[in-house]
Amino acid sequence: WIWSRTTFRKILAEIDTDGNGEIDFEEMKEAVFRFKDTVKGEVRKALSILRDDDDISAFAEKKAAAANKQSKMYNRISAAVMVLLAAMITQEPMIICQDAPDWPTTECPEVTKELVYRYSVLGMVAMVVHYMMLIDLAVFSTEI
């Protein structure tokens, strides 16, 4: 969930029923009860899915479909990382300087500041995508 000032103002406007710009005790109490009812409803829905023996196969199918969708997304992201790495190879200063007499080096006339900048940007984007994949693997995709 991405929170913004607009979202926060909408929530406050919903809680502030008399519109005076302040949340008094009664309004806060009402908001807490509504939140509690919302949570109860969500818990009841989750428990009804888990308790319904007839619908277990449908639940298993939905879970398998969600896992398949997640796997496809992971494969797409992996392909994007591979494309970024391939683009990085084309901008790699050491490869471009392979004909230099003092190779391996990253300093030769063919290496310009623009090339180094492009290589750095591609490297940073690839690292961010890679770390996001690691976070997903370590945090969100872990099952207990």
Side-chain angles (χ1 to χ4, degrees):
W1 292 75
I2 298 175
W3 286 86
S4 67
R5 288 183 183 186
T6 307
T7 305
F8 188 67
R9 285 184 181 140
K10 286 179 184 177
I11 292 170
L12 288 179
E14 191 175 323
I15 294 172
D16 185 21
T17 55
D18 60 4
N20 66 353
E22 295 179 359
I23 299 173
D24 58 18
F25 180 73
E26 291 300 320
E27 291 170 334
M28 187 60 161
K29 196 164 67 170
E30 176 64 28
V32 169
F33 284 129
R34 285 191 354 211
F35 177 74
K36 186 174 106 177
D37 291 340
T38 303
V39 170
K40 276 185 182 178
E42 293 298 318
V43 168
R44 282 189 186 123
K45 279 196 288 188
L47 290 175
S48 69
I49 290 172
L50 294 174
R51 287 185 183 155
D52 192 7
D53 293 335
D54 297 334
D55 204 22
I56 292 288
S57 61
F59 178 71
E61 289 173 7
K62 287 179 185 177
K63 186 176 178 182
N68 189 25
K69 184 178 178 182
Q70 184 178 4
S71 176
K72 286 180 182 178
M73 181 59 73
Y74 187 80
N75 289 340
R76 288 181 185 140
I77 294 171
S78 295
V81 170
M82 290 299 293
V83 168
L84 284 169
L85 291 175
M88 280 179 66
I89 287 176
T90 65
Q91 304 297 310
E92 170 64 56
M94 191 175 284
I95 292 176
I96 292 179
C97 291
Q98 67 185 353
D99 295 332
D102 57 344
W103 192 83
T105 183
T106 59
E107 296 175 9
C108 63
E110 292 87 8
V111 175
T112 62
K113 288 184 179 183
E114 292 83 15
L115 181 113
V116 172
Y117 178 77
R118 285 192 305 265
Y119 181 74
S120 299
V121 169
L122 288 170
M124 286 185 287
V125 171
M127 284 177 45
V128 167
V129 172
H130 178 71
Y131 283 123
M132 294 301 285
M133 289 172 57
L134 287 175
I135 289 169
D136 176 60
L137 179 66
V139 177
F140 300 115
S141 298
T142 303
E143 292 185 21
I144 297 176

